[in-house]
Amino acid sequence: MPQPRRRPVQRRGRGEAPRARRSGGSDLGARVLVAIPALAVALAMVALGDYVFLVGVAALGLVCLHELFSMFGRARPARFAGFIGLLGLLVAAHLGDRETVLLVFLACLPLTFVVAVNQPGGGGAPGISVTILGLAWIGLALAHAVLLRDLDHGGGLVFAVLLGTFVGDTGAYLGGRAFGQRKLAPTISPNKTVEGLLIGVLLGTAAVWWAGLSQPWLGGQNGAILGVAIAIAAPIGDLFESYLKRDAGTKDTGTLFGAHGGALDRLDAIMFTAVTGYYVWQALL
């Protein structure tokens, strides 16, 4: 009796969503269920500010560093130096200024060297490189988030950054699913499209512009400038993390948010938009 022909199995690249989830079985509901409580906690941290914001950012930063160091554990990063350096950068941002943050960052290099030399198994150039990458990418980004929050109208500015990042990311996701045709970066993130990018930038910019209209200290024009900068920086941050994950051969950086990955998976865009928002606002003053 002839056997039925088996349909060939189509393999997907790392980081690419299953076909069913990209079409009818949308995971948008699950994404929203994760996003809403996370956004509520973030807004509470922003509203309370001061040491509540500092401690909350520090906790997230330590988780992000742990995820990065775990992804590249084979390089033997100097974990202790990374964790101490991160906390030092955040305290420097809260109690000092940009120059203080820079001074602490420079001090992290000899600290990383000392720890790498004395830790079991050593570290060498790969371990030092991954540690400094974490401090530059995660530590400096979160330090700038603290600097931004401590400015005049800092709560509103951090809210604008979060709003532009969240709306832009959601717009790119939905726009790409509905209208996406041309791949944006197929070797890094196969599901991202040029159409999704453009829709995300447009909606992210519009969201911050709209927020500026209701805030006299921000205004519509400054809101639009800040919004377009945030909306462009966010997908770059997303692609940066995707590039590192592909190099590490992993789909998610962790399991903090269950099926939706780790802290870095949720904060990758913020790592770029916090820095962008701070310097664009300084230029607008």
Side-chain angles (χ1 to χ4, degrees):
M1 181 177 180
Q3 298 294 323
R5 297 181 60 183
R6 297 179 62 185
R7 181 177 299 177
V9 177
Q10 293 184 348
R11 299 184 181 272
R12 67 178 190 274
R14 291 192 302 267
E16 185 175 359
R19 298 288 182 180
R21 292 178 63 180
R22 292 180 61 192
S23 55
S26 172
D27 61 344
L28 178 60
R31 288 169 68 97
V32 171
L33 286 177
V34 171
I36 289 177
L39 188 60
V41 172
L43 292 178
M45 288 167 48
V46 173
L48 293 171
D50 202 24
Y51 283 98
V52 173
F53 186 76
L54 180 66
V55 171
V57 168
L60 289 172
L62 291 173
V63 174
C64 288
L65 270 185
H66 168 71
E67 292 176 352
L68 176 66
F69 293 162
S70 296
M71 276 200 304
F72 294 100
R74 65 185 183 274
R76 300 191 302 276
R79 288 175 173 266
F80 180 73
F83 295 149
I84 294 298
L86 170 74
L87 296 177
L89 288 168
L90 297 180
V91 172
H94 187 58
L95 299 180
D97 51 20
R98 285 180 295 179
E99 287 71 23
T100 311
V101 171
L102 175 60
L103 178 62
V104 171
F105 180 70
L106 293 175
C108 288
L109 183 57
L111 172 64
T112 301
F113 165 66
V114 171
V115 172
V117 168
N118 290 281
Q119 71 182 1
I128 292 174
S129 298
V130 171
T131 306
I132 296 301
L133 168 64
L135 290 169
W137 176 30
I138 299 168
L140 287 180
L142 297 181
H144 278 80
V146 174
L147 289 171
L148 187 66
R149 178 60 185 85
D150 289 344
L151 292 175
D152 292 337
H153 309 294
L157 288 168
V158 175
F159 172 77
V161 169
L162 292 175
L163 179 66
T165 304
F166 178 75
V167 171
D169 178 68
T170 304
Y173 173 76
L174 296 177
R177 288 176 62 88
F179 306 105
Q181 296 292 330
R182 290 176 286 273
K183 298 295 184 180
L184 177 64
T187 61
I188 299 176
S189 187
N191 290 337
K192 289 182 174 55
T193 63
V194 174
E195 293 80 5
L197 172 68
L198 295 177
I199 293 172
V201 170
L202 178 63
L203 293 181
T205 301
V208 183
W209 168 77
W210 171 80
L213 294 179
S214 61
Q215 303 293 331
W217 58 268
L218 178 56
Q221 179 176 335
N222 285 347
I225 296 172
L226 184 63
V228 71
I230 292 169
I232 291 174
I236 299 175
D238 191 356
L239 288 172
F240 181 80
E241 191 229 13
S242 295
Y243 180 75
L244 292 181
K245 288 196 296 184
R246 280 197 168 267
D247 184 59
T250 184
K251 182 180 184 296
D252 296 319
T253 60
T255 59
L256 182 64
F257 293 97
H260 294 274
L264 271 176
D265 293 315
R266 304 276 66 84
L267 298 176
D268 51 3
I270 295 293
M271 300 300 177
F272 278 51
T273 58
V275 178
T276 300
Y278 177 81
Y279 285 107
V280 169
W281 182 249
Q282 290 293 303
L284 290 173
L285 292 178

